[in-house]
Amino acid sequence: MTVAVFIMYGVALVAGFAGAWLLLRLRIATSEGAVYGYRIAGTMLAALALVLAIFATAQWSWNQTP
């Protein structure tokens, strides 16, 4: 596994935790604006984590020697 793959997995992990934290904050949001902001940012970070994890896995599998 190369350094680039580790970095991509690391960024995906951080983005996933941040997205989950923002989506969990929806339970205690006080205003409509806060709910909207947490929902948008949490969904975007979760999508970023998913896409980066998929690309990191693809890059890792392409770099393996048969």
Side-chain angles (χ1 to χ4, degrees):
M1 196 177 295
T2 63
V3 175
V5 174
F6 278 123
I7 291 171
M8 287 177 76
Y9 276 130
V11 173
L13 187 67
V14 170
F17 280 135
W21 180 75
L22 285 173
L23 290 173
L24 287 173
R25 295 262 318 188
L26 285 172
R27 302 172 119 192
I28 58 171
T30 56
S31 68
E32 284 187 32
V35 169
Y36 179 76
Y38 290 148
R39 189 176 293 153
I40 290 293
T43 304
M44 293 292 233
L45 284 170
L48 173 68
L50 180 65
V51 169
L52 279 178
I54 290 170
F55 283 142
T57 303
Q59 187 176 8
W60 180 38
S61 69
W62 293 336
N63 286 334
Q64 292 179 350
T65 56

